[in-house]
Amino acid sequence: MSDALDRLIATIKSRAAAPDPSSYTSALLQAGPPRIAKKLGEEAVETIIAALGDDKAALAGETADLIYHLLVLLEARGVSFDEVRAILDQRHGTSGLVEKAARPHDPTSAP
Amino acid sequence: MSDALDRLIATIKSRAAAPDPSSYTSALLQAGPPRIAKKLGEEAVETIIAALGDDKAALAGETADLIYHLLVLLEARGVSFDEVRAILDQRHGTSGLVEKAARPHDPTSAP
Amino acid sequence: MSDALDRLIATIKSRAAAPDPSSYTSALLQAGPPRIAKKLGEEAVETIIAALGDDKAALAGETADLIYHLLVLLEARGVSFDEVRAILDQRHGTSGLVEKAARPHDPTSAP
Amino acid sequence: MSDALDRLIATIKSRAAAPDPSSYTSALLQAGPPRIAKKLGEEAVETIIAALGDDKAALAGETADLIYHLLVLLEARGVSFDEVRAILDQRHGTSGLVEKAARPHDPTSAP
């Protein structure tokens, strides 16, 4: 529980268990997955734009917003971040190229 | 160092320090921020689509891919994930609504 | 029928009516809305990245890809581009600010 | 000039030539490409989400917003929509698969 992400996940779970009318997290969870996914998309776009600029603090800030909305989305859909951690360990314990080569073929990719 | 994200960050940093021709991470870092940002955007879209479907395992998998590319992007731009953690602690130690109210006004938002 | 978009829409409709195994459009329509939406997202990201760079030809090319995938998505969901044109006329015949002010309030926006 | 897109392009160009303090288009053009690109990304996400739902009118509406912001972005970057039309004619006069096969190889794609 000493990690910032674990603290944030605990906060999000407490908002899900006991909605607080003054909490943005509670409002997002109440609005549901499509609305949270929309916010995630907006933060991803802002992260991309920040990554192409020169302001490193802006990139760190947008990344934080992206991760926050991602964690709220996982809570809304009942997916544990521990599952995500397990997948990261599984996929990136070996070379990423090896992992990517093992992915199923996308039939709509360029032939 | 016992967390999956820290292990992944360490792996990415080792690929940055010693590029490996067989590593996808090395290839991404070599390609540069615009290419990594493009991949981040693709994974964000896949995460959004998975979040609106019924396959929780797919959502966990897309989330893992999104976080991986996000961490590679931070490395490529010289931003430490510790900065992101610090921002998360700072912003979400109190109510998100309070935090959001403190953000600068967006002049192109609806009046 | 003298406009490039109308010609493209006619081509997409003909691929929907008579699938062609060698046609990328037919493959997209066969793959369905989630796959087409994913491609749309990718092209949007590429358009954003091109817009922040210096290569105007790249921006024109990415915009063309974005519009193409958008038109395929509309076909896959049974939405006519004429409806889109009607909305554009309706919304932008007057000041955009007037139109935006009339939109419903987003409860998850900053207070 | 009888097409909705041409009318909209003319309106956007008139806002660029003579900024109007009450115009959302003028405000966007004044804010510049990164802000317009952000809005484009938001509309793309909303279009994707609408495409995965059941509300066709919502999809038509989000598509209209996406196209509007795309046209404003082109104006802000000095790219003519006629160039986009020419590319669409060039790429989609023949099979899309043929066109896609001719694209340059992406070195960060799966091997």
Side-chain angles (χ1 to χ4, degrees):
Chain A
M1 274 304 169
S2 63
D3 180 74
L5 265 67
D6 286 312
R7 277 191 294 276
L8 177 53
I9 290 166
T11 300
I12 292 168
K13 286 190 179 304
S14 75
R15 294 283 185 264
D20 174 349
S22 73
S23 158
Y24 176 65
T25 303
S26 292
L28 275 177
L29 290 169
Q30 178 69 23
R35 177 71 62 176
I36 305 167
K38 173 179 174 297
K39 294 289 173 181
L40 174 72
E42 292 179 8
E43 298 301 341
V45 170
E46 294 189 41
T47 300
I48 289 167
I49 292 171
L52 302 182
D54 290 326
D55 185 345
K56 290 185 182 188
L59 176 55
E62 298 300 350
T63 298
D65 283 346
L66 177 55
I67 286 176
Y68 162 75
H69 286 89
L70 188 57
L71 293 176
V72 175
L73 184 62
L74 292 181
E75 174 65 27
R77 294 287 288 102
V79 173
S80 164
F81 194 66
D82 287 341
E83 291 179 54
V84 177
R85 284 185 172 113
I87 294 168
L88 286 172
D89 267 338
Q90 184 184 343
R91 290 191 179 167
H92 299 284
T94 57
S95 156
L97 268 180
V98 174
E99 178 265 322
K100 246 186 119 66
R103 287 186 194 171
H105 177 65
D106 175 354
T108 57
S109 285
Chain B
M1 275 304 170
S2 63
D3 180 73
L5 265 67
D6 286 312
R7 279 191 293 278
L8 178 52
I9 291 165
T11 299
I12 292 168
K13 287 192 177 303
S14 75
R15 294 282 185 265
D20 174 349
S22 72
S23 159
Y24 175 65
T25 303
S26 292
L28 275 177
L29 290 168
Q30 179 68 23
R35 178 70 64 173
I36 305 167
K38 173 179 174 298
K39 294 288 173 183
L40 174 72
E42 293 179 8
E43 299 300 342
V45 171
E46 295 190 39
T47 300
I48 289 167
I49 292 172
L52 301 183
D54 290 326
D55 186 346
K56 290 185 182 188
L59 176 55
E62 298 300 351
T63 299
D65 283 347
L66 177 54
I67 287 175
Y68 162 75
H69 285 89
L70 189 57
L71 294 176
V72 174
L73 185 60
L74 292 182
E75 174 65 29
R77 295 287 288 104
V79 173
S80 164
F81 194 65
D82 286 341
E83 290 179 55
V84 177
R85 284 186 172 112
I87 294 168
L88 286 172
D89 267 338
Q90 184 184 343
R91 290 190 181 170
H92 298 284
T94 56
S95 156
L97 271 180
V98 173
E99 178 267 319
K100 246 186 121 62
R103 288 187 194 168
H105 178 65
D106 174 355
T108 58
S109 288
Chain C
M1 277 303 167
S2 63
D3 181 74
L5 265 68
D6 287 313
R7 278 190 294 276
L8 177 53
I9 291 166
T11 300
I12 293 168
K13 286 190 176 304
S14 74
R15 293 285 185 263
D20 173 349
S22 73
S23 159
Y24 176 65
T25 303
S26 291
L28 275 178
L29 289 169
Q30 178 68 22
R35 177 72 63 177
I36 306 167
K38 174 179 175 298
K39 294 289 172 182
L40 174 71
E42 293 179 10
E43 298 300 342
V45 170
E46 295 190 40
T47 299
I48 290 167
I49 292 172
L52 302 182
D54 291 326
D55 185 345
K56 290 185 183 188
L59 177 55
E62 299 300 350
T63 298
D65 283 346
L66 177 55
I67 286 176
Y68 162 75
H69 285 90
L70 189 58
L71 293 176
V72 174
L73 185 61
L74 292 182
E75 174 64 29
R77 295 287 287 103
V79 173
S80 163
F81 194 65
D82 286 342
E83 291 178 54
V84 177
R85 284 186 172 111
I87 294 168
L88 286 171
D89 267 337
Q90 183 184 344
R91 290 190 180 168
H92 298 284
T94 56
S95 157
L97 268 181
V98 174
E99 179 265 320
K100 245 185 121 64
R103 286 187 194 170
H105 177 65
D106 175 353
T108 58
S109 286
Chain D
M1 276 301 168
S2 62
D3 180 73
L5 265 67
D6 286 313
R7 278 190 294 276
L8 177 53
I9 290 165
T11 299
I12 293 168
K13 285 190 178 303
S14 75
R15 294 283 184 265
D20 172 350
S22 73
S23 159
Y24 176 65
T25 303
S26 292
L28 275 177
L29 290 168
Q30 178 69 22
R35 177 70 63 176
I36 306 167
K38 173 178 174 297
K39 294 288 173 182
L40 174 71
E42 293 179 9
E43 299 301 342
V45 170
E46 294 191 39
T47 300
I48 289 167
I49 292 173
L52 302 182
D54 290 325
D55 186 344
K56 290 186 182 188
L59 177 55
E62 298 300 351
T63 298
D65 283 345
L66 177 54
I67 287 176
Y68 162 75
H69 285 90
L70 188 58
L71 293 176
V72 174
L73 185 61
L74 292 181
E75 174 64 29
R77 295 288 287 104
V79 172
S80 164
F81 194 66
D82 287 342
E83 291 179 54
V84 177
R85 284 187 172 111
I87 294 168
L88 287 172
D89 267 338
Q90 183 183 344
R91 289 190 181 170
H92 298 284
T94 56
S95 157
L97 271 180
V98 174
E99 177 266 321
K100 247 185 118 66
R103 288 186 193 169
H105 178 65
D106 175 355
T108 58
S109 287

